[in-house]
Amino acid sequence: MQSSPCILGTHHEKGAHTFWLAVNRLPLSSNAVLCWKFCHVFHKLLRDGHPNVIKDSMRHKGDLSDMSRMWGHLSEGYGKLCSIYLKLLITKMEFHIKNPRFPGNLQMSNRQLDEAGENDVNNFFQLTVEMFDYLECELNLFLGVFSSLDMSRSVSVTAAGQCRLAPLIQVILDSSHLYDYTVKLLFKLHSCLPADTLQGHRDRFQEQFKKLKSLFYRSSNLQYFKRLIQIPQLPENPPNFLRASALSEHISPVVVIPAESSSPESEHVVETEDLVDTDIPPLPCMVDTKFDDLFGTSATTDPFNFNGQNGMRRDEKDRLIEQLTAELQALKEELESFRLESGRLCQALRGRVNELEAELAEQTHLKQQALGESEFLRVELDDLRRVKEDTEKEQRSLSEIERKAQANEQRYTKLKEKYTELVQGHADLLRKNAEVTRQMTVARAAQDEVENVKKEMQDRLKSAQDSASQQEKVQLEELQALQAELMSSRAELETLKSTVTSSQQSNEELSTQLSALEVEKAGLMETVSLKEVEMAGLGAELERLQSSLSNERESGVKVAEALQNQLNEKESREQALESELVSLRWAALRAALEEAGRIVQDSLNQLEDPAHISCTSSAEYLVSRCQVALDCVERLQLARDGFVSDNTDVSGLVRAVTQFAHLVGDVIMQGSATSHMVPVEQADALADSVKACGTEAMALLCQLKEQEAMKVADCSQLRAAIGIVMALGEKLRPRGLELQQGELGDLVEQEMAATSAAVESAAARIEEMLNKSRAVDTGIKMEVNERILASCTDLMQAIKVLVLSSKDLQRDIVESGRGAASMKEFYAKNSRWTEGLISASKAVGWGATMLVDAADQVVQGKGKFEELMVCSHEIAASTAQLVAASKVKADKDSPNLSRLRQASKGVTQATAGVVASTKSGKSQIEDTETMDFSAMTLTQIKRQEMDAQVLVLELETRLQKERERLGELRKKHYELAGVAEGWGGEEEGTG
């Protein structure tokens, strides 16, 4: 068979339609040799044919996969090789579809390789993984061919050996390119990512490098390949990706095909004539002829036409005859086992057809039921449209009420802002007053300091005057003494002058004494002048101190007068602001009281509105609102007393008045609504009490508006009126349900809370397991664990939303006016429905816990994927039970019901995601566990085949028993659940 016409034909028609039309007429599923030749030709077309061949061939991917599984049942011979070869071709097609930039022959430049990854490290990472998978399939075919040959003999020169070795030329061409691109991509990834992240890539490359090097070496030693292709040899050691410079040492392996023998079609093979397949029916021969007619004429140069003559000697032919006879006998045994296996598969398929026919009948029955339900839903849709029109009218009236409430809220906000401004202004005045007081304190301190300085200066001046007068007296006394001495001296001089003539000696002595007296007189005169100068200086200093003291006294008086004027001005301004603040406080309080009066009056007016007659409420709720209103009246009394004692804080009284108005109005509305649910006499008494309560509230609000009346305002009458309403509500409460209310009502809340807690705990554990898996696992295991745990996290989030939606819907059911009953009374009245709700909540919490435990075991490698899928289905069933129990009494137009249905769909989708990710992970892990029978003998393989058949029979028997046991368990579960939840009894309430 020649492949060149096929390749040229695909280029001529730009596709492979004709090729596949011819292939579909060939018996590939019954002739392994023909299937092997088809795989070889198809491989050449994928490499050298038109690019559209890959796209056209993807339509037949399912047929090729089925054929691969079918041939995989054979453990030896061409059947096993065909199964491996078909898997390789499917992988090659998928690779080129995912990466259309790669041509079929995988020849690309470095620039084209960079463009294929779009310069994105994530794309390069994924591309490397896909190339690893691709190369793994190539190596599997290599190993499968070599393990099927007896390498102890020269099989490459035999027809059977050449038939099996011929496709390896295409495998060598693909493998060399894949090896080269993998090395370059790994160097690029190591330049962008940490080495620890790529540890899995390096380990996988090391393993494939060893296999590829060994296979290239073994192939290069075969005589068949030496004349057809030059196989490159890989380096002794793999590249060191941790050293970036090692890339320059990498040499791309180049496969060289000699020009004179560019294709194995030019090889002459051994003439087998009537030595091959002598006992097999002539169908393969007819098929070979038909195949040759379709894809080209057989010639002596065709590597798959073994009718040529190669000049071998007759003795070698004898040996070949014996060898081929043995192979022929083995093929007969293999054919017989294949026939038995085909019969068993046909029987299994017939059973499957019967099961599908039963399922079809069941689906037909369900279709009839769906048509009936569709008609019923169409009638309900008309009713819902009428209800929708009534609801729109009610919504318009409700929007008007909300608009009024919003306007009141805006008025209250404005008053609150004005009050805030007044408080801020008052705070500013207080700060300014504190500043003025501080300045006055500083001025008084300065004035005291001036007084102290003045007093000190006066003391110093007085002491200076005393000292000056004392010195003056001393000097005067000395002067008088000197004058007296002078006079005595003069007298003595006169006496001496009178006696000068008496004696010359006495005269000289008197002259000496006179000169001494004159010197002493000059000294005394100088001392007197110095004392006079000192007296003049002290007088000038005294005058300067007196003038400075008078100036400081005048400036101190002026500053004190200015500060006193500022203080008086601040006090007058503060008094004016205080009076204004008081008036604003009263204005805000009166506005709040007027608004409160309007709220209470509006509630009283609603009692006369005919539309209010349809409103209903429970006595339990009325009693609770009365108790809250009584507490608010007490707070109003305390706030009024506080404002009377200290009128600077009006915020507490305004808040109390606002809350008082709303609560009293609520009591009036709830009392009137409760009166619509009770007998006429009790209803009239309750309505009169409610009106009396509103009248007392209006009277109290009027008293609080006046300053004098506020001091004597009394809340006792209003308190008594609310007490009467509360007493009537107590009488109207249902009796005899307290015990069951406490048990069932609290149990529902406890179970829903426990379910929420279990879901939260499960989500936290899944997050912890995900972090632990990322830190420990690598490669495919890490990818599978992340995908499974992510889907489990999505399921927990969906369950959480479902539980919250169920709570909201249950609250709507209880508060939708189904009788004058509280929440616990409603649960007690509908006890069977409540027990079903509790059972569903327990099942959801238990299912979440079991799912997390199963996921933990799977991540650790100790559990089974089937346990995780069963837990997912169990959670889906539990949530469906919770949804059914929650919506059985809900209104069909309730928005919470639609949210619950949406949440239920989310849980279903999340459950499907868990199952899908689990199946995908299981298949991905199982695909990595390839079976290698290359080292086993025929006896060992036969022994294991018998053991496998025994195990299959045991597992089938066990499967049947487990199915019967599962049916019995489900039947018993339904019986126990029916007894526990009251199935089959009378329906409770209105659903």
Side-chain angles (χ1 to χ4, degrees), residues 6 91 95 248 251 259 266 299 399 431 512 546 604 650 661 699 712 714 817 868 877 914:
C6 297
T91 304
F95 177 81
S248 60
I251 300 176
S266 61
S399 61
R431 285 195 292 270
T512 304
Q546 288 177 348
L604 292 173
V650 75
V712 297
D714 188 12
L868 194 58
V914 173

Side-chain angles (χ1 to χ4, degrees), residues 24 217 345 390 447 525 529 606 680 687 723 751 764 833-834 927:
N24 289 333
Y217 177 76
L345 290 176
D390 299 337
Q447 187 175 3
M525 292 299 291
S529 62
Q606 290 293 327
V680 178
E751 289 300 331
W833 173 74
T834 304
D927 289 341

Side-chain angles (χ1 to χ4, degrees), residues 338-354:
F338 176 69
R339 287 173 180 170
L340 295 175
E341 184 69 18
S342 298
R344 190 183 64 81
L345 290 176
C346 290
Q347 185 177 0
L349 289 175
R350 291 191 191 96
R352 181 58 181 166
V353 168
N354 294 333

Side-chain angles (χ1 to χ4, degrees), residues 61 64-65 68 86-95:
K61 174 185 172 184
L64 296 178
S65 299
S68 174
L86 288 170
K87 288 182 181 179
L88 169 60
L89 296 176
I90 293 171
T91 304
K92 180 176 180 66
M93 289 191 296
E94 292 176 345
F95 177 81

Side-chain angles (χ1 to χ4, degrees), residues 391-591:
T391 305
E392 289 177 352
K393 295 179 181 178
E394 294 178 358
Q395 286 180 350
R396 285 194 291 271
S397 62
L398 180 60
S399 61
E400 183 66 22
I401 295 173
E402 289 178 351
R403 186 182 61 79
K404 292 181 181 179
Q406 187 176 5
N408 295 333
E409 186 68 23
Q410 291 177 355
R411 287 197 217 97
Y412 172 72
T413 304
K414 292 180 181 178
L415 291 174
K416 186 176 180 181
E417 292 176 354
K418 186 64 177 177
Y419 173 71
T420 305
E421 293 176 359
L422 292 175
V423 171
Q424 186 65 28
H426 180 62
D428 294 339
L429 291 177
L430 290 177
R431 285 195 292 270
K432 292 179 181 178
N433 187 16
E435 182 67 21
V436 172
T437 304
R438 187 181 62 80
Q439 291 179 0
M440 286 293 297
T441 303
V442 173
R444 290 193 182 95
Q447 187 175 3
D448 294 340
E449 186 178 357
V450 170
E451 292 292 337
N452 293 333
V453 172
K454 179 180 177 182
K455 185 176 181 181
E456 183 181 356
M457 293 300 296
Q458 287 178 353
D459 294 341
R460 289 177 60 187
L461 179 59
K462 186 176 181 181
S463 61
Q465 288 177 350
D466 293 340
S467 62
S469 60
Q470 187 176 1
Q471 289 179 0
E472 186 178 358
K473 288 180 181 179
V474 173
Q475 290 175 358
L476 287 175
E477 290 177 355
E478 291 179 355
L479 183 58
Q480 288 176 2
L482 289 174
Q483 288 178 355
E485 290 178 1
L486 181 59
M487 291 302 294
S488 62
S489 298
R490 285 177 179 174
E492 291 177 358
L493 180 59
E494 289 296 332
T495 304
L496 288 174
K497 282 181 179 182
S498 62
T499 59
V500 73
T501 58
S502 63
S503 178
Q504 186 66 34
Q505 186 176 0
S506 300
N507 192 14
E508 291 178 357
E509 292 178 357
L510 290 171
S511 299
T512 304
Q513 292 178 357
L514 181 62
S515 60
L517 290 173
E518 288 178 353
V519 172
E520 186 177 358
K521 180 182 177 182
L524 291 174
M525 292 299 291
E526 186 178 357
T527 302
V528 170
S529 62
L530 290 174
K531 293 296 181 183
E532 290 178 351
V533 171
E534 186 177 354
M535 286 291 292
L538 291 173
E541 181 68 20
L542 179 60
E543 291 178 357
R544 187 180 63 79
L545 290 174
Q546 288 177 348
S547 62
S548 175
L549 183 61
S550 61
N551 292 333
E552 289 179 357
R553 185 184 295 110
E554 291 176 358
S555 62
V557 171
K558 291 179 181 179
V559 170
E561 291 177 354
L563 291 175
Q564 187 64 34
N565 293 332
Q566 289 182 2
L567 181 60
N568 295 334
E569 183 179 354
K570 294 292 183 183
E571 288 178 351
S572 61
R573 189 181 306 159
E574 183 177 356
Q575 291 176 358
L577 291 174
E578 184 66 26
S579 61
E580 183 180 358
L581 182 60
V582 170
S583 62
L584 288 174
R585 287 196 194 103
W586 274 103
L589 179 59
R590 288 194 182 93

Side-chain angles (χ1 to χ4, degrees), residues 162 318 322 765 925:
Q162 292 178 359
D318 295 338
E322 295 176 357
R765 283 187 60 191
I925 290 178

Side-chain angles (χ1 to χ4, degrees), residues 326-373:
E327 291 182 0
L328 181 62
Q329 186 64 30
L331 289 174
K332 288 180 179 179
E333 295 176 358
E334 183 178 350
L335 179 61
E336 184 65 25
S337 64
F338 176 69
R339 287 173 180 170
L340 295 175
E341 184 69 18
S342 298
R344 190 183 64 81
L345 290 176
C346 290
Q347 185 177 0
L349 289 175
R350 291 191 191 96
R352 181 58 181 166
V353 168
N354 294 333
E355 292 179 1
L356 291 176
E357 289 177 351
E359 291 182 2
L360 179 61
E362 184 179 358
Q363 293 295 331
T364 304
H365 178 65
L366 292 177
K367 179 181 178 182
Q368 296 297 329
Q369 290 183 349
L371 291 175
E373 291 180 357

Side-chain angles (χ1 to χ4, degrees), residues 611-632:
H612 181 65
I613 297 176
S614 61
C615 297
T616 59
S617 179
S618 64
E620 179 73 18
Y621 186 70
L622 175 61
V623 171
S624 64
R625 302 314 296 167
C626 288
Q627 185 61 46
V628 175
L630 287 175
D631 297 338
C632 182

